[in-house]
């Protein structure tokens, strides 16, 4: 061990404090000095407190605080307080926000590789999707997001968002014909608008925050989402009919601002990565609880839920979407299909 003049080892010395480290350790990179500083990491989610993704990140914050003796903490801004996902991405790119929990739906237009997860019916079911994100494909796509110059983001982990289902205020959708002409809100990604149009509906890209009032005023007839979002956003108050079409199974992403990431020490980066992987699994358990609770709530308030539906016509109808976007993902889709 290299002894310093104060009699303590160099390693211990670096742990001591920002000011001292920066002043004395001239060969150490600036980031290691910054790494000793107390930091509040701002996190944001479109969902409210208690929602599985929000809860998982808050639990991660508690663990981070304990592991760093309060040096690193996470401050959560839920319920779109910092805007929608597009705004969150922009703020993270600037370093004004450190942690953003966003849907792959919003990242697809920026990182083409991940758009494969946004293809209709690409996963057999949620379990299949989980195996894919937990495995090498999941790791590979996280790395692609991080490596992509355009994102300004470090992709930390995936989370569950179940499957998306179509709901509306007009009529129960029992077959694909019932969807004809309905104006259905989609996440702002051309792939989704094309998907809804291929299904016979009229796909309209709108922000998540606008869905409730657009349904209320009749600008749209409905939307599509998982049951927990349908309940958490009060969409059940304006849409009585919910059909388990499960046309999209889109995982969520937890990303970190690259600018802020570079200010963390390698140890802190490793700690955050480790806690993110744990959050991925913790959120999953919370997810299934929330999904069951949401379905119970929907039943209790009289949402008409169509569970028995022949998916084949829906799968056949999205063929034009696969013809338009699928070719470039052919190799990846084969790998996804091979995951058991
Ligand atoms: C939710 C998802 C959000 C957002 C939202 C939407 O399921 O958790 O990140 O993508 O859907 O439809 O905009």
């Amino acid at each position: 061990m290299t002894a310093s003049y104060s009699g303590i080892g160099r390693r211990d010395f670096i742990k001591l404090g920002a000011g001292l480290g920066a002043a004395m350790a001239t060969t150490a990179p600036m980031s290691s000095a910054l790494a000793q500083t107390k930091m509040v990491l701002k996190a944001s989610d479109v969902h409210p407190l208690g929602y599985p993704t929000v809860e998982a990140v808050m639990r991660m914050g508690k663990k981070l605080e304990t592991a760093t003796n309060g040096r690193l903490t996470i401050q959560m801004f839920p319920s779109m307080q910092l805007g929608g996902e597009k705004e969150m991405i922009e703020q993270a790119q600037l370093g004004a926000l450190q942690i953003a929990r966003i849907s792959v739906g919003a990242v697809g237009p920026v990182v083409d590789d991940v758009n494969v997860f946004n293809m209709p019916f690409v996963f057999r079911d949620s379990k299949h999707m989980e195996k894919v994100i937990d495995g090498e494909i999941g790791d590979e796509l996280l790395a692609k997001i991080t490596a992509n110059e355009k994102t300004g983001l470090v992709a930390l982990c995936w989370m569950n968002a179940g499957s998306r289902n179509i709901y509306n205020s007009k009529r129960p959708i029992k077959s694909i014909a019932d969807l004809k002409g309905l104006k259905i809100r989609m996440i702002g990604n051309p792939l989704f608008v094309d998907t809804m149009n291929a299904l016979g509906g009229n796909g309209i890209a709108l922000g998540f925050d606008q869905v409730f009032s657009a349904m209320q005023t009749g600008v749209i007839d409905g939307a599509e989402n998982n049951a927990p979002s349908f309940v958490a956003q009060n969409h059940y108050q304006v849409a009585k009919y919910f059909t388990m079409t499960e046309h999209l199974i889109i995982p969520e992403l937890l990303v970190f601002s690259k600018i802020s990431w570079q200010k963390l020490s390698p140890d802190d980066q490793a700690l955050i990565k480790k806690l993110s992987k744990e959050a991925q699994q913790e959120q999953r358990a919370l997810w299934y609880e929330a999904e069951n609770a949401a379905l119970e709530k929907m039943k209790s308030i009289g949402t008409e839920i169509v569970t028995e539906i022949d998916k084949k016509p829906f799968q056949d109808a999205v063929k034009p979407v696969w013809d338009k976007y699928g070719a470039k993902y052919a190799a990846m889709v084969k790998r996804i299909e091979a995951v058991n």
Side-chain angles (χ1 to χ4, degrees):
M1 182 186 277
T2 327
S4 76
Y5 69 90
S6 63
I8 53 173
R10 179 171 159 73
R11 272 193 169 177
D12 302 317
F13 170 73
I14 286 178
K15 278 193 199 137
L16 277 181
L20 199 57
M24 310 288 287
T26 45
T27 52
M30 205 31 203
S31 59
S32 72
L34 283 167
Q36 308 308 310
T37 318
K38 213 170 161 151
M39 266 192 205
V40 178
L41 308 174
K42 282 200 207 166
S44 177
D45 199 311
V46 293
H47 294 297
L49 288 178
Y51 195 90
T53 49
V54 178
E55 181 59 26
V57 172
M58 290 179 67
R59 288 186 188 185
M60 176 175 155
K62 286 200 189 103
K63 287 195 209 168
L64 187 63
E65 191 169 348
T66 308
T68 61
N69 291 321
R71 186 170 48 79
L72 297 182
T73 50
I74 292 181
Q75 185 182 10
M76 171 58 74
F77 294 85
S79 306
M80 300 184 236
Q81 280 175 27
L82 302 183
E85 301 195 348
K86 205 169 150 278
E87 289 77 24
M88 280 157 56
I89 294 174
E90 284 162 8
Q91 289 167 44
Q93 285 169 336
L94 295 171
L97 171 70
Q98 281 68 53
I99 300 173
R101 204 289 309 151
I102 49 182
S103 168
V104 169
V107 181
V110 191
V111 186
D112 205 35
D113 289 292
V114 300
N115 236 0
V116 68
F117 283 178
N118 293 326
M119 294 293 284
F121 301 107
V122 68
F123 297 111
R124 293 188 290 276
D125 50 32
S126 286
K127 294 286 166 207
H128 179 211
M129 181 277 287
E130 286 167 10
K131 286 201 179 124
V132 172
I133 58 174
D134 285 351
E136 66 175 30
I137 296 176
D139 289 344
E140 203 172 301
L141 290 182
L142 289 180
K144 283 229 162 100
I145 297 168
T146 306
N148 189 307
E149 300 269 295
K150 280 186 285 174
T151 64
L153 304 170
V154 173
L156 294 175
C157 69
W158 305 98
M159 291 188 176
N160 268 47
S163 49
R164 295 177 77 97
N165 305 290
I166 302 171
Y167 48 88
N168 79 99
S169 59
K170 293 283 188 269
R171 53 181 178 254
I173 296 167
K174 294 184 175 158
S175 74
I176 193 163
D178 296 323
L179 188 53
K180 191 110 201 100
L182 289 183
K183 288 174 271 163
I184 304 292
R185 177 268 174 177
M186 305 299 286
I187 298 180
N189 178 335
L191 176 49
F192 298 140
V193 174
D194 286 345
T195 296
M196 184 45 66
N197 293 344
L199 290 171
N202 186 354
I204 295 174
L206 269 185
F208 195 39
D209 55 329
Q210 293 165 288
V211 181
F212 184 89
S213 60
M215 277 201 289
Q216 203 174 32
T217 55
V219 170
I220 53 173
D221 301 311
E224 48 85 61
N225 219 315
N226 49 52
S229 293
F230 177 73
V231 169
Q233 299 300 319
N234 296 323
H235 291 174
Y236 62 87
Q237 289 175 8
V238 276
K240 187 172 162 39
Y241 307 106
F242 189 99
T243 298
M244 299 286 198
T245 45
E246 301 186 315
H247 54 287
L248 291 168
I249 298 180
I250 312 177
E252 315 271 37
L253 273 167
L254 195 64
V255 295
F256 205 100
S257 153
K258 209 176 252 177
I259 293 186
S260 304
W261 187 253
Q262 281 152 1
K263 293 180 180 160
L264 296 172
S265 70
D267 282 353
D268 286 344
Q269 291 175 348
L271 176 63
I272 291 171
K273 279 200 167 159
K274 176 182 158 275
L275 296 180
S276 304
K277 288 287 170 201
E278 290 172 18
Q280 177 161 326
Q281 299 305 326
E282 280 181 39
Q283 188 268 352
R284 189 166 296 170
L286 295 168
W287 176 259
Y288 285 106
E289 282 169 27
E291 206 165 44
N292 288 337
L295 288 168
E296 282 312 312
K297 165 102 185 176
M298 286 156 65
K299 281 180 206 151
S300 76
I301 52 166
T303 301
E304 219 177 291
I305 310 173
V306 179
T307 48
E308 294 302 316
I309 183 148
D310 179 10
K311 291 220 193 96
K312 180 81 171 49
F314 288 80
Q315 285 159 348
D316 292 346
V318 295
K319 190 173 174 297
V321 179
W322 279 90
D323 291 344
K324 183 169 171 186
Y325 300 92
K328 57 187 165 188
Y329 304 126
M332 180 54 97
V333 169
K334 264 207 178 125
R335 287 175 61 198
I336 292 174
E337 280 169 358
V339 174
N340 275 309

